[in-house]
Amino acid sequence: MAEQDPHETFETHLWVDKYGDYLYRYALMRVRDPQVAEDTVQETFLAALKNLHQFDGRVDVKYWLRGILRNKTVDYIRKSVRRQELQNEQVQEIVGQILFKTSGIPNKRPKPWAFDPDEAFAQEEFWEAFKACLEGLSDQMRTAFYMKMIDEVETEEICKELDISDNYLWVMLHRARAQLKDCLELKWAKS
Amino acid sequence: MFFTCKQVSEHLSKEDYAKLPPFRKFTLIFHVMFCPICGKYNRQVMKFQDMARKFRKQEEDFLESDSPNFPSMDTSAKDRLKASLEQAQATESPQSGS
Ligand SMILES: [Zn+2]
């Protein structure tokens, strides 16, 4: 049996029509800039073509492409965030504050939600608000939140890919949660 | 041996408790069950985990949607993309013998 051309098997000529919008939206959610989103999608397709032999077929081609795209968007964020938002001393200070807040004063507990989350989760408009709030986070915070909470990447892996320390990530996640909560309460609790 | 509230909140916040050895994990769960402060903090972190899980489903629907209300690449961008892929393919796998 003659060996098939991998490009033919993968129908690479249909990729743009089949996966273009899917990947573009995925990138847009993470990098926010339409031009950057387009560029990262292009880089993804090109990288995939080059590495077709590495595709093992264990997941759908779409998810394989999405995995490559995820790395491209993280690369972009790491490079575009020239300077960490916080200095190391600030990180230490905030870590101290978080610990103090959660364990220092017994009666100062985290505030409950201003709305019923379970009820909100069932409504489509809530997720529009959630998406808008995610977009409002800084690039680094949003990326950390996506990697940890949505993509479920291991902590060590996130720190390596974003080139940040363990404590720095912790502070980012803590702040992302707090900011999201505030934003959701503003956008949702009032409606 | 036993956790302080400080250590518990650190583990909860970093969400790295799944990797603790079984007995340590048990002591942590035990602490969270009976400590009102850590219990409340845990519920808040868990709400976010729950929200993220549900959002993943929502995101997938959004990515897959055919609705014109959602952002998509315009036709000219797609054409450029197709052209660059074709070009890359031509250099990647030159037809043998031609
Ligand atoms: Zn406690």
Side-chain angles (χ1 to χ4, degrees):
Chain A
M1 199 167 124
E3 212 180 301
Q4 256 187 310
D5 178 3
H7 293 112
E8 216 157 276
T9 334
F10 286 108
E11 299 185 310
T12 51
H13 60 289
L14 297 176
W15 275 5
V16 176
D17 288 326
K18 268 172 102 170
Y19 311 119
D21 285 334
Y22 179 93
L23 296 173
Y24 174 73
R25 284 178 195 158
Y26 182 92
L28 196 59
M29 299 268 285
R30 283 157 170 79
V31 299
R32 306 221 29 228
D33 180 329
Q35 189 56 54
V36 176
E38 236 176 84
D39 292 348
T40 47
V41 170
Q42 177 170 17
E43 284 169 32
T44 298
F45 279 140
L46 293 176
L49 276 187
K50 218 177 237 166
N51 299 300
L52 271 183
H53 58 279
Q54 282 174 11
F55 178 69
D56 57 9
R58 267 188 304 183
V59 291
D60 202 87
V61 177
K62 184 172 77 181
Y63 298 119
W64 180 60
L65 292 169
R66 195 180 69 181
I68 301 173
L69 179 60
R70 193 186 68 76
N71 293 336
K72 299 275 175 207
T73 57
V74 170
D75 277 350
Y76 168 78
I77 296 291
R78 188 191 52 244
K79 285 176 196 153
S80 72
V81 178
R82 295 229 169 85
R83 183 169 53 83
Q84 299 203 338
E85 281 167 31
L86 302 161
Q87 300 305 314
N88 281 333
E89 307 84 67
Q90 281 174 294
V91 171
Q92 283 314 317
E93 196 188 318
I94 294 167
V95 167
Q97 282 169 5
I98 301 171
L99 292 177
F100 187 67
K101 262 193 210 152
T102 49
S103 58
I105 319 168
N107 52 12
K108 201 179 174 197
R109 298 168 187 176
K111 269 193 299 165
W113 293 82
F115 55 88
D116 179 357
D118 294 313
E119 200 182 291
F121 292 173
Q123 299 179 56
E124 219 163 286
E125 297 83 11
F126 174 81
W127 298 106
E128 285 304 312
F130 185 81
K131 227 162 68 185
C133 290
L134 256 185
E135 284 175 9
L137 298 178
S138 75
D139 283 346
Q140 215 176 29
M141 240 189 265
R142 190 179 57 253
T143 308
F145 187 84
Y146 259 116
M147 291 179 89
K148 178 77 196 179
M149 309 291 288
I150 315 287
D151 304 331
E152 291 184 311
V153 182
E154 293 283 343
T155 302
E156 297 96 79
E157 182 73 20
I158 301 174
C159 292
K160 217 174 81 194
E161 286 186 31
L162 287 178
D163 195 20
I164 55 178
S165 71
D166 200 36
N167 272 344
Y168 195 93
L169 173 67
W170 181 25
V171 169
M172 282 286 140
L173 289 171
H174 182 85
R175 291 179 123 204
R177 281 192 208 105
Q179 231 185 80
L180 278 175
K181 187 164 175 262
D182 285 350
C183 175
L184 285 171
E185 287 181 344
L186 207 71
K187 276 190 192 293
W188 191 253
K190 278 199 300 200
S191 53
Chain B
M1 184 79 186
F2 292 102
F3 286 99
T4 61
C5 286
K6 186 179 139 112
Q7 291 168 318
V8 170
S9 65
E10 195 171 330
H11 282 302
L12 293 179
S13 210
K14 288 183 178 165
E15 292 176 39
D16 61 358
Y17 42 85
K19 278 181 286 179
L20 291 172
F23 182 69
R24 293 286 287 165
K25 199 152 76 187
F26 173 76
T27 355
L28 185 124
I29 293 168
F30 195 75
H31 179 129
V32 172
M33 266 169 73
F34 292 100
C35 170
I37 305 153
C38 293
K40 197 143 188 175
Y41 188 70
N42 183 43
R43 277 195 291 281
Q44 189 139 112
V45 171
M46 273 170 54
K47 238 332 144 226
F48 268 98
Q49 287 173 348
D50 186 26
M51 204 187 296
R53 252 196 310 275
K54 294 197 163 95
F55 176 67
R56 216 175 299 150
K57 165 89 184 52
Q58 296 285 332
E59 193 193 24
E60 196 62 27
D61 291 347
F62 163 73
L63 297 176
E64 294 274 16
S65 170
D66 294 326
S67 163
N69 300 328
F70 291 141
S72 49
M73 263 196 271
D74 56 49
T75 327
S76 63
K78 279 184 186 166
D79 289 341
R80 278 200 303 277
L81 197 50
K82 280 176 192 167
S84 79
L85 289 194
E86 262 168 43
Q87 202 194 343
Q89 238 174 65
T91 45
E92 272 305 305
S93 58
Q95 293 298 308
S96 51
S98 59

